[in-house]
Amino acid sequence: MSSTVTGQNTPTALIIGASRGLGHAMVAEFLHRGWNVIGTVRDTAAQTPLHDLGDRAGGRVTVEHLDINEPNHLAPLHERLAQRRLDLLFVNAGTTNNEQTPIGAVPTAAFVEVMLTNALSPMRVIEALEDLVSPTGLIGAMSSGQGSITNNTTAGREVYRGSKAALNMFMRSFATRQAETQRAFVLMAPGWIRTELGGPDAPFTIEESVPLLVDVLLSKLGTPGLAYLDRSGQTVPW
């Protein structure tokens, strides 16, 4: 696959959750491949790596404000983007709790925070902004291999696993409701990556991982239906 865009019409990607880490790196990778990119940040006061990238991008990166856990932020964002056509919408969101706490001992507040951030809020974003996406575009979300029920043979990270499995189910329902469209839908399982969430012991770096993730997303453009894929483009069992 070519790493750059050809032709007269420059495509546009919206990356939700792009201030740093994987989201910021995805913005940089799409920019490198010739796309225009809109990235969202949660904190309006801080100068983030996304802002720095935008300052160097010659107008090809737009920084927008969105806290995905604040539903009242969605309508204003939609209004600000109403004149933009999106070829790709990707929601990068994730949080976790104490990884070793068994589900029966998880405090209610921790459970709600993880499920809200990882499952409900990404779907609220997708439902609110999907009409901005081209009829032949792609809508995706950052899932995890740990959301696979089939592959859960080790336990641990039980709330996180459950939240990603819930996201997978919600996305499957959403895609089923759009079964007559030509859109592609992708749940991405990126692998264990050295980010703030993944921690320092993860085997993969952001730099080596993100080009592979973008390759997978671009390979699915023009392929209708939902896919749950890893960094190599292989199907992850539900």
Side-chain angles (χ1 to χ4, degrees), residues 164-184:
K164 292 300 186 178
L167 172 66
N168 292 353
M169 180 62 78
F170 298 153
M171 190 68 169
R172 189 157 190 170
S173 293
F174 176 78
T176 299
R177 284 189 270 120
Q178 297 210 9
E180 300 305 315
T181 75
Q182 295 301 303
R183 286 176 176 160

Side-chain angles (χ1 to χ4, degrees), residues 213-234:
L213 304 184
V214 173
D215 280 345
V216 171
L217 293 176
L218 294 182
S219 74
K220 297 307 292 183
L221 274 170
T223 305
L226 175 64
Y228 180 23
L229 303 172
D230 67 15
R231 59 196 279 125
S232 301
Q234 299 299 306

